[in-house]
Each structure stands twice: as C-alpha cells, then as structure tokens.
Amino acid sequence: MILAPLEMSVPARDGLILKGTLTYPETYAGVGFPLAVLAHQYPATRDSYAPLVADLVESGIATLAFDLRGHGASIISPKGPLVIDTPEGLTAEAFGKAFMSSAGKVGFAHIENDILRVTSWGANQNFIDSGRLALVGASIGGSGVLLAAPTIPNLRAVATVGAAGAPAIGPDAADRIRSGLEKSRVPAFLASSREDPFDGGANATTWSRGLSHAQGHLISGSAHAMAIYFDVRDELLRFLHTSLNVQ
C-alpha cells in the first residue's frame, strides 16, 4: 500500500497557522511507522531538510517537516501575514539584527509550544506509531526541540545540528534546555561544528556535559546547522535508527 503525503495545517497558541508535510515511507506493511518531527533553522524553510527526509523515509521512518512561524507557508496569522525579517546585507551584524527583530516580530517565544502542537498532530495520524517519536532541530529549531522534548510523551530521541539562538526564545531558555536534559532520560544527539559562529559547538558541549544519555558530537570547521548534515549523516542516522528501533 502506497501512502500519499499529508499537508498539515495546525493553529498555534496565538492563532498563527503552522504548515508542514507528513511524508510516509514508500510502502505500508501493516505496522505503524516511527515519526521524526523536523524543525528547521532561520531563515530557511522545511525544504532545507530534503536530504534528511529522503534518508529517513528510505529507512522506514515517516517525517513531519514544518515551516517555523514566520517562515515559508507558516505566515498566516489573525492579524494578517506575519513574515520574518531577512538580513539587509551579508555581514554577521546584518544577520544578527534581522534574527533578533524576527524573534519579537513573529514570536519565537512560541516555538516550543508550536513543536508540541505539530508533534501531537503527527502522532495522531493514521499509520503512525505514536510510541516511537523523535524530534530533530537545526539552529533555532534545535533549541526549540530541546525545550519541547520534556512535554512530549513517548519521545524516543531528540537530535540537533548546530542548536543555537535559545535566548531568542526566552531569557532562561538555555538554562531550561540543560535542566530538561538533566531530568530526562531520552537519548540526545547534539551535533555541531567546533567553530560554529552561533555557538552551536559550545551549546552542544555545555548541554551534554556529564550526561550519559546525551552525546555531544563536534566536527571541525565552522559550518552551521544543516550545512553539517553530510558530515554527521552516518552518526545521526545510526542514532535515530537505534533509538526508534528501526533495522
């Protein structure tokens, strides 16, 4: 049986409509699929996860990649279109200014709850095994999935690439991420380049330090978020396959 992708529309707590795509593995053989929910980086869209979606679906894991608020198709709010600011120029200063203005403008503080709502939608779809859930996040999406992880029952794994930008979600977000990892026993894989310009390497090291269930995985270089995917691909896929009990 071949299953068509499902297009998601989920209302956020503030009324903004979150959009995403649930993609099933090619054939259904009578057993529910594990599900990986994917939260991307600023200022990308769900399509930035195309290589990971292809790899996961091929291995028997369904994926739900969604556009973060203010990105891609997730821009319809009760007050009209709500779109992130993008950098005006190619400097780090221009990027930082646009990122921080976007955080307040579109409400990055809601990302944690957005991920909970999106995961709940995915877990309740046909042919999904709600007992085998994983969260994957890049950059601000990585901080978001780490914050959302303690709120999701039956979570089997959380993985990040270049998790960063936590203060844009809340002033205590970085501390809450560490505290959540300390209290949880959910396996975590925190990957980053060592010289990540947005402190992804430092975050992975700090948040995983001393925790047997949280693995920090650093590679050389300064690439950020999904730009390191092909450098950590084998380790990330092995982690997700093991955690979700996929052969």
Side-chain angles (χ1 to χ4, degrees), residues 38-42 48-49 52 135-146 158-165 188-193 196 198-201 203-204 207 215-219 223-237 239-240:
L38 314 179
H40 64 78
Q41 65 201 76
Y42 165 92
S48 63
Y49 274 118
L52 177 57
L135 301 178
V136 180
S139 193
I140 187 70
S143 291
V145 299
L146 290 168
V158 57
T160 63
V161 283
F189 179 85
L190 312 183
S192 177
S193 65
D196 185 310
F198 304 106
D199 293 329
N203 291 336
W207 293 338
Q215 175 189 353
H217 183 80
L218 301 183
I219 63 166
H224 180 59
M226 272 300 284
I228 71 169
Y229 176 63
F230 292 105
D231 297 298
V232 301
R233 178 187 183 190
D234 291 347
E235 294 84 359
L236 175 57
L237 292 176
F239 168 77
L240 291 172

